[in-house]
Amino acid sequence: MPRLALYALVVCALAVAAAVVSFARGSWLGVVWVLLAGLTSNMALYYIRRAKAAAAEATSADAGRTPTA
């Protein structure tokens, strides 16, 4: 897993925890935490998909190459 995706998932988990605590205390600030969690989860998915696409491109580029012996 790419490092940036891992960082985004950690921030997402922390934002969800902060939202739960905020709503439990009766604060509407939890809405901001929920929005931050949504943003970071999308960032994590983006970085994971980008890494998979780069890996697929690298394997397809290697498949077309003729071996040199």
mmCIF file of all heavy atoms in Angstrom, residues 41-67:
data_model
loop_
_atom_site.group_PDB
_atom_site.id
_atom_site.type_symbol
_atom_site.label_atom_id
_atom_site.label_comp_id
_atom_site.label_asym_id
_atom_site.label_seq_id
_atom_site.Cartn_x
_atom_site.Cartn_y
_atom_site.Cartn_z
ATOM 1 N N SER A 41 -10.859 9.618 2.956
ATOM 2 C CA SER A 41 -11.125 8.294 2.405
ATOM 3 C C SER A 41 -11.048 8.319 0.876
ATOM 4 O O SER A 41 -10.529 7.382 0.258
ATOM 5 C CB SER A 41 -12.481 7.764 2.862
ATOM 6 O OG SER A 41 -13.530 8.516 2.298
ATOM 7 N N ASN A 42 -11.527 9.390 0.278
ATOM 8 C CA ASN A 42 -11.403 9.531 -1.177
ATOM 9 C C ASN A 42 -9.942 9.668 -1.594
ATOM 10 O O ASN A 42 -9.539 9.128 -2.631
ATOM 11 C CB ASN A 42 -12.199 10.734 -1.666
ATOM 12 C CG ASN A 42 -13.681 10.473 -1.679
ATOM 13 O OD1 ASN A 42 -14.118 9.327 -1.703
ATOM 14 N ND2 ASN A 42 -14.465 11.530 -1.637
ATOM 15 N N MET A 43 -9.156 10.374 -0.801
ATOM 16 C CA MET A 43 -7.727 10.493 -1.102
ATOM 17 C C MET A 43 -7.043 9.129 -1.040
ATOM 18 O O MET A 43 -6.221 8.798 -1.903
ATOM 19 C CB MET A 43 -7.050 11.451 -0.117
ATOM 20 C CG MET A 43 -7.392 12.896 -0.329
ATOM 21 S SD MET A 43 -6.722 13.957 0.966
ATOM 22 C CE MET A 43 -4.990 13.631 0.844
ATOM 23 N N ALA A 44 -7.387 8.336 -0.031
ATOM 24 C CA ALA A 44 -6.785 7.009 0.103
ATOM 25 C C ALA A 44 -7.143 6.133 -1.094
ATOM 26 O O ALA A 44 -6.279 5.459 -1.659
ATOM 27 C CB ALA A 44 -7.238 6.355 1.398
ATOM 28 N N LEU A 45 -8.414 6.151 -1.487
ATOM 29 C CA LEU A 45 -8.825 5.367 -2.656
ATOM 30 C C LEU A 45 -8.110 5.825 -3.916
ATOM 31 O O LEU A 45 -7.701 5.012 -4.750
ATOM 32 C CB LEU A 45 -10.331 5.467 -2.854
ATOM 33 C CG LEU A 45 -11.178 4.696 -1.852
ATOM 34 C CD1 LEU A 45 -12.652 4.987 -2.084
ATOM 35 C CD2 LEU A 45 -10.903 3.214 -1.954
ATOM 36 N N TYR A 46 -7.918 7.126 -4.072
ATOM 37 C CA TYR A 46 -7.219 7.657 -5.235
ATOM 38 C C TYR A 46 -5.779 7.146 -5.294
ATOM 39 O O TYR A 46 -5.317 6.681 -6.336
ATOM 40 C CB TYR A 46 -7.237 9.189 -5.204
ATOM 41 C CG TYR A 46 -6.327 9.812 -6.228
ATOM 42 C CD1 TYR A 46 -6.685 9.851 -7.569
ATOM 43 C CD2 TYR A 46 -5.098 10.348 -5.861
ATOM 44 C CE1 TYR A 46 -5.852 10.409 -8.515
ATOM 45 C CE2 TYR A 46 -4.252 10.905 -6.801
ATOM 46 C CZ TYR A 46 -4.642 10.941 -8.122
ATOM 47 O OH TYR A 46 -3.798 11.485 -9.052
ATOM 48 N N TYR A 47 -5.081 7.210 -4.163
ATOM 49 C CA TYR A 47 -3.681 6.780 -4.154
ATOM 50 C C TYR A 47 -3.556 5.276 -4.355
ATOM 51 O O TYR A 47 -2.609 4.810 -5.001
ATOM 52 C CB TYR A 47 -3.000 7.202 -2.854
ATOM 53 C CG TYR A 47 -2.718 8.678 -2.799
ATOM 54 C CD1 TYR A 47 -3.195 9.453 -1.751
ATOM 55 C CD2 TYR A 47 -1.985 9.312 -3.798
ATOM 56 C CE1 TYR A 47 -2.949 10.815 -1.699
ATOM 57 C CE2 TYR A 47 -1.735 10.669 -3.753
ATOM 58 C CZ TYR A 47 -2.217 11.407 -2.702
ATOM 59 O OH TYR A 47 -1.972 12.751 -2.658
ATOM 60 N N ILE A 48 -4.504 4.506 -3.829
ATOM 61 C CA ILE A 48 -4.463 3.050 -4.034
ATOM 62 C C ILE A 48 -4.706 2.717 -5.505
ATOM 63 O O ILE A 48 -3.996 1.901 -6.098
ATOM 64 C CB ILE A 48 -5.490 2.358 -3.121
ATOM 65 C CG1 ILE A 48 -5.035 2.454 -1.671
ATOM 66 C CG2 ILE A 48 -5.707 0.915 -3.529
ATOM 67 C CD1 ILE A 48 -6.083 2.029 -0.669
ATOM 68 N N ARG A 49 -5.699 3.365 -6.115
ATOM 69 C CA ARG A 49 -5.983 3.105 -7.534
ATOM 70 C C ARG A 49 -4.842 3.549 -8.426
ATOM 71 O O ARG A 49 -4.512 2.892 -9.414
ATOM 72 C CB ARG A 49 -7.271 3.812 -7.950
ATOM 73 C CG ARG A 49 -8.497 3.176 -7.374
ATOM 74 C CD ARG A 49 -9.737 3.929 -7.763
ATOM 75 N NE ARG A 49 -10.910 3.349 -7.124
ATOM 76 C CZ ARG A 49 -12.037 3.996 -6.959
ATOM 77 N NH1 ARG A 49 -12.161 5.235 -7.384
ATOM 78 N NH2 ARG A 49 -13.046 3.396 -6.354
ATOM 79 N N ARG A 50 -4.211 4.662 -8.080
ATOM 80 C CA ARG A 50 -3.086 5.150 -8.872
ATOM 81 C C ARG A 50 -1.906 4.178 -8.788
ATOM 82 O O ARG A 50 -1.241 3.920 -9.793
ATOM 83 C CB ARG A 50 -2.669 6.532 -8.382
ATOM 84 C CG ARG A 50 -1.691 7.211 -9.315
ATOM 85 C CD ARG A 50 -1.423 8.612 -8.890
ATOM 86 N NE ARG A 50 -0.387 8.595 -7.860
ATOM 87 C CZ ARG A 50 0.210 9.677 -7.388
ATOM 88 N NH1 ARG A 50 -0.153 10.869 -7.819
ATOM 89 N NH2 ARG A 50 1.136 9.584 -6.487
ATOM 90 N N ALA A 51 -1.673 3.614 -7.624
ATOM 91 C CA ALA A 51 -0.585 2.651 -7.466
ATOM 92 C C ALA A 51 -0.874 1.370 -8.247
ATOM 93 O O ALA A 51 0.025 0.799 -8.870
ATOM 94 C CB ALA A 51 -0.364 2.341 -6.002
ATOM 95 N N LYS A 52 -2.135 0.923 -8.224
ATOM 96 C CA LYS A 52 -2.499 -0.278 -8.980
ATOM 97 C C LYS A 52 -2.348 -0.045 -10.477
ATOM 98 O O LYS A 52 -1.881 -0.917 -11.214
ATOM 99 C CB LYS A 52 -3.928 -0.691 -8.664
ATOM 100 C CG LYS A 52 -4.073 -1.371 -7.329
ATOM 101 C CD LYS A 52 -5.492 -1.834 -7.113
ATOM 102 C CE LYS A 52 -5.650 -2.489 -5.764
ATOM 103 N NZ LYS A 52 -7.029 -2.931 -5.528
ATOM 104 N N ALA A 53 -2.732 1.130 -10.944
ATOM 105 C CA ALA A 53 -2.609 1.440 -12.371
ATOM 106 C C ALA A 53 -1.144 1.512 -12.778
ATOM 107 O O ALA A 53 -0.767 1.032 -13.855
ATOM 108 C CB ALA A 53 -3.309 2.750 -12.692
ATOM 109 N N ALA A 54 -0.305 2.074 -11.924
ATOM 110 C CA ALA A 54 1.123 2.156 -12.233
ATOM 111 C C ALA A 54 1.753 0.770 -12.259
ATOM 112 O O ALA A 54 2.595 0.472 -13.104
ATOM 113 C CB ALA A 54 1.829 3.041 -11.215
ATOM 114 N N ALA A 55 1.319 -0.096 -11.346
ATOM 115 C CA ALA A 55 1.845 -1.461 -11.320
ATOM 116 C C ALA A 55 1.401 -2.232 -12.560
ATOM 117 O O ALA A 55 2.176 -2.986 -13.148
ATOM 118 C CB ALA A 55 1.386 -2.170 -10.061
ATOM 119 N N ALA A 56 0.154 -2.045 -12.965
ATOM 120 C CA ALA A 56 -0.345 -2.728 -14.163
ATOM 121 C C ALA A 56 0.374 -2.226 -15.410
ATOM 122 O O ALA A 56 0.690 -3.001 -16.306
ATOM 123 C CB ALA A 56 -1.849 -2.517 -14.296
ATOM 124 N N GLU A 57 0.646 -0.936 -15.461
ATOM 125 C CA GLU A 57 1.366 -0.381 -16.605
ATOM 126 C C GLU A 57 2.795 -0.903 -16.654
ATOM 127 O O GLU A 57 3.315 -1.194 -17.727
ATOM 128 C CB GLU A 57 1.367 1.141 -16.518
ATOM 129 C CG GLU A 57 2.025 1.815 -17.704
ATOM 130 C CD GLU A 57 1.971 3.329 -17.596
ATOM 131 O OE1 GLU A 57 0.946 3.842 -17.129
ATOM 132 O OE2 GLU A 57 2.953 3.971 -17.988
ATOM 133 N N ALA A 58 3.414 -1.037 -15.505
ATOM 134 C CA ALA A 58 4.791 -1.529 -15.463
ATOM 135 C C ALA A 58 4.857 -2.985 -15.903
ATOM 136 O O ALA A 58 5.778 -3.373 -16.624
ATOM 137 C CB ALA A 58 5.354 -1.376 -14.058
ATOM 138 N N THR A 59 3.889 -3.804 -15.502
ATOM 139 C CA THR A 59 3.907 -5.206 -15.908
ATOM 140 C C THR A 59 3.585 -5.359 -17.385
ATOM 141 O O THR A 59 4.150 -6.220 -18.051
ATOM 142 C CB THR A 59 2.921 -6.039 -15.066
ATOM 143 O OG1 THR A 59 1.620 -5.483 -15.188
ATOM 144 C CG2 THR A 59 3.343 -6.088 -13.619
ATOM 145 N N SER A 60 2.709 -4.516 -17.921
ATOM 146 C CA SER A 60 2.403 -4.615 -19.347
ATOM 147 C C SER A 60 3.567 -4.107 -20.189
ATOM 148 O O SER A 60 3.815 -4.612 -21.279
ATOM 149 C CB SER A 60 1.131 -3.841 -19.682
ATOM 150 O OG SER A 60 1.331 -2.452 -19.492
ATOM 151 N N ALA A 61 4.315 -3.148 -19.682
ATOM 152 C CA ALA A 61 5.491 -2.661 -20.407
ATOM 153 C C ALA A 61 6.587 -3.712 -20.401
ATOM 154 O O ALA A 61 7.317 -3.880 -21.387
ATOM 155 C CB ALA A 61 5.994 -1.368 -19.790
ATOM 156 N N ASP A 62 6.714 -4.457 -19.313
ATOM 157 C CA ASP A 62 7.722 -5.507 -19.235
ATOM 158 C C ASP A 62 7.353 -6.695 -20.105
ATOM 159 O O ASP A 62 8.230 -7.393 -20.613
ATOM 160 C CB ASP A 62 7.895 -5.980 -17.785
ATOM 161 C CG ASP A 62 8.614 -4.937 -16.934
ATOM 162 O OD1 ASP A 62 9.268 -4.051 -17.528
ATOM 163 O OD2 ASP A 62 8.500 -5.011 -15.705
ATOM 164 N N ALA A 63 6.065 -6.937 -20.305
ATOM 165 C CA ALA A 63 5.628 -8.077 -21.098
ATOM 166 C C ALA A 63 5.951 -7.886 -22.572
ATOM 167 O O ALA A 63 6.197 -8.839 -23.298
ATOM 168 C CB ALA A 63 4.138 -8.308 -20.925
ATOM 169 N N GLY A 64 5.985 -6.648 -23.042
ATOM 170 C CA GLY A 64 6.263 -6.380 -24.444
ATOM 171 C C GLY A 64 7.754 -6.353 -24.776
ATOM 172 O O GLY A 64 8.126 -6.310 -25.937
ATOM 173 N N ARG A 65 8.590 -6.382 -23.786
ATOM 174 C CA ARG A 65 10.015 -6.307 -23.997
ATOM 175 C C ARG A 65 10.586 -7.671 -24.345
ATOM 176 O O ARG A 65 10.191 -8.676 -23.803
ATOM 177 C CB ARG A 65 10.689 -5.802 -22.721
ATOM 178 C CG ARG A 65 12.047 -5.218 -22.990
ATOM 179 C CD ARG A 65 12.763 -4.775 -21.761
ATOM 180 N NE ARG A 65 11.963 -3.882 -20.918
ATOM 181 C CZ ARG A 65 12.289 -3.571 -19.698
ATOM 182 N NH1 ARG A 65 13.356 -4.083 -19.138
ATOM 183 N NH2 ARG A 65 11.545 -2.745 -18.986
ATOM 184 N N THR A 66 11.525 -7.716 -25.289
ATOM 185 C CA THR A 66 12.165 -8.974 -25.633
ATOM 186 C C THR A 66 13.358 -9.201 -24.715
ATOM 187 O O THR A 66 14.100 -8.273 -24.410
ATOM 188 C CB THR A 66 12.644 -8.954 -27.106
ATOM 189 O OG1 THR A 66 13.543 -7.875 -27.269
ATOM 190 C CG2 THR A 66 11.482 -8.794 -28.045
ATOM 191 N N PRO A 67 13.512 -10.420 -24.247
ATOM 192 C CA PRO A 67 14.631 -10.685 -23.342
ATOM 193 C C PRO A 67 15.974 -10.636 -24.079
ATOM 194 O O PRO A 67 16.085 -11.030 -25.233
ATOM 195 C CB PRO A 67 14.343 -12.104 -22.832
ATOM 196 C CG PRO A 67 13.415 -12.697 -23.825
ATOM 197 C CD PRO A 67 12.676 -11.577 -24.467
#
